[in-house]
């Protein structure tokens, strides 16, 4: 199982976006959190900032949409060039149709679940997606502590993927650091979003590498 590191730019200096992303050129993606102050109680940025990150052409973009009406808005993020677009299952009326539309636009599809959302009702949807995001904090704010109570859910997700013989990755987002990444990797995660841990480190590049090596040792 490979390891993917996707640092969240939510915790970077957005006024110096290009230079901040250049600090993490050894990462696999730049993770961009889009929040609308409706689905989650916070407002970040939308399509223009995502397009700005894409135009930098430094890293592919992994967009995490914490927004209402995902059916309407998510395809636009694929259309502008995101490599991966993740919508929340709780915000999608027709998740299969949405996943197929995102694929039609040329992007990979991720589906995210809040901590309280059970994976079981969505197991049948796994063949339609490329990644399942298990939130390891309540979505909406960076810098929160990792919820170890999510580890059994990560394991159930990985077991369901393996049982179906699918090539679906398991992403974790929230509180990922040197102290927690091994726990998530051992449980079955292979895509790791880290925000504060990377951009508040003395050397973001070295922090990405340290997180990658810790995850590799426990996958």
């Amino acid at each position: 199982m490979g390891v993917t590191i996707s640092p969240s730019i939510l915790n970077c200096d957005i006024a110096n976006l290009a230079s901040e992303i250049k600090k993490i050129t050894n990462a696999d993606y730049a993770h961009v959190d889009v929040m609308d102050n409706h689905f989650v109680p916070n407002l970040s940025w939308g399509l223009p900032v995502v397009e700005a990150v894409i135009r930098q052409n430094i890293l592919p973009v992994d967009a995490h949409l914490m927004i209402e009406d995902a059916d309407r808005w998510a395809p636009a993020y694929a259309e502008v060039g995101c490599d991966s677009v993740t919508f929340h299952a709780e915000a999608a009326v027709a998740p299969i149709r949405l996943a197929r539309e995102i694929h039609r636009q040329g992007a990979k599809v991720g589906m995210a679940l809040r901590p309280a959302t059970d994976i079981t009702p969505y197991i049948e949807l796994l063949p339609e997606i490329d990644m399942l995001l298990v939130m390891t904090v309540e979505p909406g704010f960076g810098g929160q502590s990792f919820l170890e109570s999510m580890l059994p859910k990560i394991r159930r997700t990985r077991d369901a993927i393996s049982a179906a013989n699918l090539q679906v990755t398991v992403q974790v987002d929230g509180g990922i650091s040197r102290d927690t990444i091994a726990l998530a990797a051992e449980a079955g995660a292979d895509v790791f979003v880290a925000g504060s841990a990377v951009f508040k480190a003395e050397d973001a590049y070295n922090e990405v590498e340290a997180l990658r090596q810790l995850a590799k040792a426990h996958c």
Side-chain angles (χ1 to χ4, degrees):
M1 189 164 62
V3 167
T4 298
I5 305 294
S6 185
S8 171
I9 68 166
L10 190 63
N11 298 99
C12 81
D13 179 4
I14 193 66
N16 297 290
L17 185 58
S19 61
E20 289 287 271
I21 298 172
K22 286 175 183 176
K23 292 178 181 178
I24 57 165
T25 52
N26 57 332
D28 300 286
Y29 292 94
H31 184 89
V32 184
D33 291 301
V34 177
M35 297 182 278
D36 64 358
N37 201 33
H38 294 286
F39 182 73
V40 292
N42 196 6
L43 183 67
S44 60
W45 37 63
L47 202 56
V49 170
V50 172
E51 288 183 285
V53 177
I54 292 168
R55 282 197 301 270
Q56 298 302 321
N57 198 29
I58 300 168
L59 286 171
V61 170
D62 165 28
H64 176 196
L65 309 183
M66 290 171 272
I67 60 173
E68 290 185 346
D69 201 0
D71 301 77
R72 178 181 180 186
W73 297 111
Y77 287 83
E79 189 176 358
V80 298
C82 290
D83 189 80
S84 177
V85 177
T86 297
F87 62 87
H88 270 262
E90 306 91 347
V93 175
I96 293 176
R97 183 175 64 197
L98 177 55
R100 290 179 180 179
E101 177 59 20
I102 293 170
H103 274 145
R104 192 181 71 79
Q105 296 288 352
K108 296 175 185 174
V109 176
M111 185 171 67
L113 303 178
R114 289 176 180 265
T117 302
D118 186 11
I119 178 61
T120 305
Y122 299 100
I123 287 175
E124 298 302 320
L125 274 64
L126 290 174
E128 299 287 343
I129 65 175
D130 303 290
M131 180 174 72
L132 194 291
L133 166 54
V134 177
M135 291 299 300
T136 45
V137 297
E138 286 293 344
F141 294 91
Q144 298 184 65
S145 298
F146 180 83
L147 295 173
E148 291 194 24
S149 58
M150 293 299 101
L151 293 173
K153 183 175 175 180
I154 297 168
R155 291 189 187 97
R156 288 196 301 272
T157 302
R158 174 54 63 195
D159 288 346
I161 291 167
S162 297
N165 195 30
L166 296 170
Q167 298 297 312
V168 176
T169 57
V170 178
Q171 186 178 70
V172 285
D173 182 356
I176 299 299
S177 67
R178 294 194 194 199
D179 295 329
T180 60
I181 196 166
L183 294 172
E186 287 173 350
D190 51 358
V191 184
F192 305 90
V193 177
S196 301
V198 170
F199 284 105
K200 292 187 178 179
E202 272 191 35
D203 188 321
Y205 188 98
N206 286 343
E207 194 64 24
V208 167
E209 195 54 36
L211 291 171
R212 190 186 301 280
Q213 293 309 316
L214 282 167
K216 280 183 176 180
H218 292 87
C219 275

